[in-house]
Amino acid sequence: MPRYFFDTCDGERQVRDETGIDLAGPQDIPREAAILLQGLGLAEMLKGRSRIFIVRVRRDDGAFVYRGTAKLDIE
């Protein structure tokens, strides 16, 4: 199984995924990215902060293969 790494950014800090996860293939990346972005958004929503979240996915050879963005507005 290929290993993919999900690096994140919340506008203040960037986190490089050093562990990664094994997925059956690239078709599973959007689902995993959405789950990750949802979790990041929930944590910030509970803090009452607006944010733009970015997840960049790379293969184990370092090539970026996916980018997802989520925007959270708190008023």
Side-chain angles (χ1 to χ4, degrees):
M1 276 191 190
R3 181 165 289 261
Y4 295 94
F5 299 84
F6 291 71
D7 302 332
T8 59
C9 179
D10 68 0
E12 289 184 356
R13 64 182 180 170
Q14 295 183 0
V15 177
R16 182 175 171 89
D17 180 2
E18 299 294 342
T19 306
I21 59 173
D22 294 328
L23 298 175
Q27 70 278 1
D28 293 335
I29 293 172
R31 177 179 43 90
E32 293 297 324
I35 291 168
L36 177 58
L37 288 169
Q38 182 182 26
L40 292 171
L42 178 59
E44 292 301 311
M45 183 182 292
L46 294 173
K47 296 175 186 174
R49 298 192 295 194
S50 297
R51 287 273 190 263
I52 295 177
F53 304 97
I54 300 169
V55 61
R56 291 183 67 194
V57 182
R58 57 192 159 80
R59 296 186 309 231
D60 55 2
D61 66 1
F64 284 98
V65 295
Y66 183 89
R67 181 178 189 267
T69 304
K71 182 178 180 182
L72 174 68
D73 285 323
I74 303 291
E75 293 183 22

